[in-house]
Amino acid sequence: MSGGGLLVAGTTSDAGKSVVTAGICRWLVRRGVKVAPFKGQNMSLNSFVTREGAEIGRAQAMQAQAARVEPTALMNPVLLKPGSDRSSQVVLMGRPVGELSARGYHGGRQRTLFEPVMACLEELRGTYDAVICEGAGSPAEINLRRTDIVNMGIARAARLPVLVVGDIDRGGVFAQFFGTTALLGPEDQELIAGYLVNKFRGDVTLLEPGLEMLHGLTGRRTFGVLPYAHGLGIDEEDGLRVSLRGTVRESVVAPPVGEDVLRVAVCAVPLMSNFTDVDALAAEPGVIVRFVDRPEELADADLVIVPGTRGTVRALEWLRERGLAGALARRAAEGRPVLGICGGFQALGEHIDDEVESRAGAVPGLGLLPVRVRFAAEKTLARPSGAALGQPVEGYEIHHGVAEVLGGEPFLDGCRVGEVWGTHWHGSLESDGFRRAFLRAVAAASGRRFVPAPDTSFAALREAQLDRLGDLIEEHADTDALLRLIEGGAPSGLPFIPPGAPDFPGAPAAGTPGAAQ
């Protein structure tokens, strides 16, 4: 195989594009194929820092791990980080280049990004045997088609076959498949190779007559029916909306090693980012993680986490409005554990000077840590390593706030005062030895007879989950047909499904990947 490719599109957001892309990457690499993931434009508050110091979506970092390659900025050249319902920070090739409204982005800026996005895709296709691309939202968002750089825009320019994923658990999947196809223009439809049903429950033979009728209506086959799989435990996107029930991944239920469990409450601050930090805690036997938004929900928590956020000042206002600020202050006074991560760490400090993110100027913090924060125009992107509680720790940093630590006990790059801990490091709890030491300290402060499991390896658990994704593809998709699609492109002679959408001026001609939109 040389330079093969596929675009995994979806009938809706959250149809399962990220997990299917990861599963295909893991299946291919187990076959000996050198494969890379790609997403031209991603909207997410969950991001990651590559080894070269570039910020990309965590979903693409997870997909790179599925492909067993090092993630790079090429795999996600454009990242949008929402700051409100109407504006986002634009990150290009791993570096922020400005803040734009949705109208400003789709009205002009997005079109200028098409060529750099295509250049990244072409570079990956020249380096890897196959590139598995993930779309965004739905390819049938006809209001955005003219400036599309992530769905049919790149599929058409690069002549990528398109596999459309639909979530049957939501209902209406046949209408979604047919409607998605029928809303595309003739040249776009030529690339819609077929469909993949996701999250099916029950007897697949009951579904088969519908799949046959869909084939008759569209001339396109279904490449597989993936069963509903519990507890996949992978990093996904979040867009502007975060499903709090879904942020902690289900894991294999295991009893606590000690006599007690530990209860962790995570404050569900606005614009919460990198909430995947708590996944490593949720993977520990006997640790119960939940997201909260009321002060009374902190009462029985052994640890409260104030997580990262794209809006530190807004999060502070929210904590005060909800009465959580007072509850956190009472916990600190009582010597009960609190951990602030990145924006949460900044909120726990004494003072914030923000002329960058919120432009609110001088704002008092919660005053639980001796830290003063000044927001800088330049974003800190780093992959630090160090030690804490006698254990090695690795993490990554993504923040505009620069912290001046004025006292307390050093803790990673932050500090600790009593049982209040603060750090800018995301991902530190994925370091197994440090996580166990930290949980022992929390248990001691809380008077819980909790004992961390001695053998929990978060990296091994993640690898096992990625293998499960590969198994889903291998066992429930027509892999021979998928391989032909990746190697040879969409079948010729696929029928047009009316009414279609009108074509638009400036569409790249077939086979001209460098054409501007």
Side-chain angles (χ1 to χ4, degrees), residues 177-457:
F177 284 144
F178 184 89
T180 296
T181 308
L183 272 178
L184 298 175
E187 290 192 50
D188 285 352
Q189 284 196 28
E190 289 176 4
L191 297 171
I192 302 295
Y195 313 111
L196 186 75
V197 176
N198 191 29
K199 298 183 183 179
F200 179 72
R201 305 174 191 253
D203 184 351
V204 73
T205 61
L206 299 176
L207 189 65
E208 288 170 354
L211 300 179
E212 292 172 6
M213 286 186 277
L214 181 67
H215 183 271
L217 288 165
T218 67
R220 291 158 174 84
R221 59 165 299 174
T222 297
F223 284 79
V225 178
L226 306 186
Y228 194 103
H230 292 277
L232 287 176
I234 54 91
D235 299 337
E236 299 177 85
E237 300 166 12
D238 52 54
L240 279 173
R241 295 178 182 269
V242 173
S243 171
L244 298 183
R245 289 180 297 175
T247 54
V248 178
R249 316 297 182 245
E250 301 168 9
S251 55
V252 176
V253 177
V257 175
E259 297 179 45
D260 288 341
V261 298
L262 276 187
R263 293 175 173 82
V264 179
V266 184
C267 296
V269 297
L271 298 174
M272 181 167 44
S273 61
N274 289 68
F275 50 71
T276 47
D277 283 332
V278 303
D279 284 354
L281 295 180
E284 282 283 352
V287 176
I288 301 168
V289 180
R290 66 183 189 273
F291 286 79
V292 303
D293 59 5
R294 295 179 298 180
E296 55 268 28
E297 294 178 292
L298 306 189
D300 67 344
D302 302 300
L303 169 67
V304 174
I305 295 178
V306 186
T309 172
R310 172 82 167 85
T312 300
V313 170
R314 183 174 168 186
L316 266 171
E317 294 171 350
W318 182 87
L319 290 168
R320 290 181 167 119
E321 289 167 359
R322 296 278 178 141
L324 287 159
L328 289 168
R330 289 190 292 274
R331 284 187 68 88
E334 295 165 2
R336 303 176 67 198
V338 175
L339 171 65
I341 302 174
C342 200
F345 164 45
Q346 296 166 8
L348 296 180
E350 297 174 350
H351 178 85
I352 292 172
D353 186 4
D354 180 12
E355 298 290 353
V356 175
E357 192 174 76
S358 68
R359 295 181 173 84
V363 177
L366 297 183
L368 305 185
L369 288 174
V371 174
R372 297 178 70 86
V373 176
R374 176 186 55 82
F375 274 68
E378 186 75 16
K379 180 184 282 190
T380 297
L381 298 169
R383 289 278 293 270
S385 61
L389 300 178
Q391 298 292 330
V393 189
E394 293 184 352
Y396 57 99
E397 294 184 63
I398 307 169
H399 54 92
H400 283 279
V402 178
E404 180 186 6
V405 179
L406 303 173
E409 177 184 342
F411 173 62
L412 302 178
D413 71 332
C415 65
R416 171 190 181 184
V417 174
E419 294 303 324
V420 180
W421 314 63
T423 177
H424 271 133
W425 292 19
H426 294 290
S428 62
L429 294 167
E430 295 180 18
S431 299
D432 296 327
F434 166 71
R435 182 179 64 255
R436 287 192 278 268
F438 180 68
L439 289 175
R440 282 192 291 269
V442 169
S446 302
R448 298 289 187 188
R449 290 172 292 183
F450 169 85
V451 178
D455 55 355
T456 301
S457 166

